[in-house]
Amino acid sequence: MKEQIEEIKKNSMKEIEKAEDLKVLQEIKVKYLGKKGELTQVLRGMGKLSNDERPIIGKLVNEVRDILEEEFNKKEEKLKSEELQKRLETENIDVTEPSKKTELGSIHPITQIIKEVEEIFLGMGYQIADGPEVEKTFYNFDQLNAPEDHPSRDLQDTFYITDDIILRSQTSPVQARVMEKQKPPIKIICPGAVYRSDAVDATHSPVFHQVEGLVVDKNISMTDLKGTLEMFAKKCLGENTKIRFRPHHFPFTEPSAEADVSCFVCGGKGCKVCKGEGWIELLGCGMVHPNVLRNCGIDPNEYSGFAFGFGVERIAMAKFGIEDLRLLYENDVRFLKQF
Ligand code: DAH
């Protein structure tokens, strides 16, 4: 039996040596090491051996198998690299052939507006802040002076993850997060997605975008707010844009206002875009409530501030003349290409 094994070893080594491609090599491997291979057959016949011989022959078979396996692997590596080398030598690329045309996308209208708004405020010395979309009720409501029974806390209006974790319903919590970390002067905007439990229609979506603004320093007054918003409106919507304030209520500002801009399509005469009003509602704003400053560790006797927040979709729709909000989320390339 020993001779038989040596014979198998000798023959197979010779064949491996001669093999010229991977397919032949694989066949040789099956012939010797496969389930019905020669070496395997030897193992099968071991039952006939005496108890003394069996371990000796067993050991030998295993040794030979290890050696053969190593030889196969080595040869396989060698053939593979030879094949690669051959391919590299014979293959060539025609660099003069015209390339496949790649379709270039365009920047989404919402992103365009956010970028534009960022540029305008960066130009006025603002920094861009960021905050989590999965937010604590503490920041979204408590720190912003929104009482326990405030309607926006309602399950119907806000997506709750747990009792005290929500998808932020506004970008305003970023105000509190910034004030906690940074002492005045503060001058930030924060663009981002917000979530509300609204059914989808032409003017509502459960996800939309806002830009929050916050300025805190000594002697900040309502005139600073108005001047800032006017500057922003002119830069974003056109030099002739006018702005007006209407009284309003927000828990985190006192006094609070809503700001409208004169219609930049008709200039205030009344048209389809402004629905005949001559004005378009733009944003919410006000002077930061002393409670909010205090909650965030800023002394309201020393500092004051203003804040504002507006919807990005609303501006995109007005500016680009988009009549249905849903178009902004369907991502139909035929629609998006127009901007
Ligand atoms: N967070 C408000 C909303 O979602 C918008 C807003 C109003 C933000 C007044 C402000 C503000 O910063 O001062 O309707």
Side-chain angles (χ1 to χ4, degrees), residues 53-54 106 118-119 125 207 231 237-238 242 289 298 310:
E53 272 177 318
R54 209 175 290 130
S106 59
E118 286 181 350
E119 282 307 316
V207 192
M231 173 68 100
L237 303 169
K242 286 192 277 296
H289 198 294
I298 294 175
F310 58 85

Side-chain angles (χ1 to χ4, degrees), residues 144-271:
L144 297 175
N145 199 37
E148 281 295 335
D149 57 356
H150 195 269
S152 62
R153 289 195 183 229
D154 201 315
L155 287 170
Q156 245 89 51
D157 295 312
T158 300
F159 290 115
Y160 279 80
I161 290 170
T162 65
D163 281 349
D164 50 10
I165 296 176
I166 57 166
L167 295 180
R168 69 177 178 197
S169 61
Q170 48 184 359
T171 42
S172 305
V174 180
Q175 288 187 28
R177 285 182 174 273
V178 170
M179 282 190 274
E180 257 184 12
K181 285 224 180 68
Q182 194 183 322
K183 291 302 130 204
I186 294 170
K187 241 177 132 174
I188 56 114
I189 58 160
C190 167
V194 300
Y195 302 83
R196 283 182 202 177
S197 174
D198 278 329
V200 178
D201 64 25
T203 53
H204 292 87
S205 159
V207 192
F208 59 101
H209 298 77
Q210 287 187 333
V211 175
E212 192 76 17
L214 173 71
V215 171
V216 183
D217 203 347
K218 287 187 171 139
N219 301 317
I220 297 293
S221 74
M222 199 100 179
T223 50
D224 298 308
L225 170 61
K226 197 161 184 193
T228 301
L229 293 180
E230 209 163 76
M231 173 68 100
F232 164 65
K234 283 183 191 299
K235 292 260 182 253
C236 185
L237 303 169
E239 275 306 318
N240 296 323
T241 311
K242 286 192 277 296
I243 195 158
R244 77 172 182 194
F245 278 18
R246 279 178 290 108
H248 202 78
H249 170 78
F250 296 103
F252 32 86
T253 42
E254 181 59 37
S256 304
E258 271 192 341
D260 302 333
V261 284
S262 56
C263 180
F264 47 88
V265 177
C266 64
K269 285 192 220 64
C271 70

Side-chain angles (χ1 to χ4, degrees), residues 5-252:
I5 297 169
E6 289 299 340
E7 188 72 14
I8 291 174
K9 182 178 165 193
K10 207 172 79 200
N11 292 341
S12 57
M13 295 282 258
K14 234 189 266 164
E15 285 184 45
I16 294 173
E17 172 75 40
K18 274 198 288 183
E20 273 177 358
D21 63 52
L22 288 166
K23 189 164 162 268
V24 173
L25 186 70
Q26 188 56 31
E27 280 163 13
I28 301 167
K29 192 167 179 180
V30 172
K31 180 174 165 196
Y32 290 101
L33 299 179
K35 261 193 196 143
K36 291 182 186 148
E38 291 186 17
L39 206 60
T40 321
Q41 295 300 334
V42 174
L43 277 176
R44 294 243 164 87
M46 277 187 22
K48 288 181 226 126
L49 297 175
S50 70
N51 284 347
D52 293 345
E53 272 177 318
R54 209 175 290 130
I56 300 171
I57 296 296
K59 191 164 165 244
L60 186 62
V61 171
N62 284 337
E63 273 169 16
V64 171
R65 197 179 45 209
D66 288 348
I67 293 171
L68 288 184
E69 259 164 13
E70 207 185 308
E71 287 301 308
F72 275 116
N73 290 343
K74 264 199 264 169
K75 184 74 181 196
E76 194 178 300
E77 286 298 304
K78 189 162 165 253
L79 288 176
K80 270 190 187 157
S81 79
E82 279 172 8
E83 270 178 27
L84 180 66
Q85 195 54 39
K86 232 187 274 165
R87 234 180 60 211
L88 290 177
E89 277 162 18
T90 55
E91 258 181 20
N92 49 36
I93 298 166
D94 180 359
V95 290
T96 63
E97 198 168 294
S99 63
K100 273 194 200 137
K101 216 173 147 196
T102 41
E103 293 256 351
L104 252 195
S106 59
I107 298 182
H108 193 283
I110 292 177
T111 312
Q112 280 186 45
I113 298 289
I114 290 177
K115 288 233 161 94
E116 202 183 317
V117 170
E118 286 181 350
E119 282 307 316
I120 294 171
F121 281 101
L122 283 170
M124 293 197 269
Y126 283 65
Q127 289 181 327
I128 295 170
D130 200 7
E133 288 173 27
V134 179
E135 182 58 285
K136 295 182 174 150
T137 49
F138 178 70
Y139 288 111
N140 198 88
F141 299 121
D142 302 76
Q143 285 296 74
L144 297 175
N145 199 37
E148 281 295 335
D149 57 356
H150 195 269
S152 62
R153 289 195 183 229
D154 201 315
L155 287 170
Q156 245 89 51
D157 295 312
T158 300
F159 290 115
Y160 279 80
I161 290 170
T162 65
D163 281 349
D164 50 10
I165 296 176
I166 57 166
L167 295 180
R168 69 177 178 197
S169 61
Q170 48 184 359
T171 42
S172 305
V174 180
Q175 288 187 28
R177 285 182 174 273
V178 170
M179 282 190 274
E180 257 184 12
K181 285 224 180 68
Q182 194 183 322
K183 291 302 130 204
I186 294 170
K187 241 177 132 174
I188 56 114
I189 58 160
C190 167
V194 300
Y195 302 83
R196 283 182 202 177
S197 174
D198 278 329
V200 178
D201 64 25
T203 53
H204 292 87
S205 159
V207 192
F208 59 101
H209 298 77
Q210 287 187 333
V211 175
E212 192 76 17
L214 173 71
V215 171
V216 183
D217 203 347
K218 287 187 171 139
N219 301 317
I220 297 293
S221 74
M222 199 100 179
T223 50
D224 298 308
L225 170 61
K226 197 161 184 193
T228 301
L229 293 180
E230 209 163 76
M231 173 68 100
F232 164 65
K234 283 183 191 299
K235 292 260 182 253
C236 185
L237 303 169
E239 275 306 318
N240 296 323
T241 311
K242 286 192 277 296
I243 195 158
R244 77 172 182 194
F245 278 18
R246 279 178 290 108
H248 202 78
H249 170 78
F250 296 103
F252 32 86

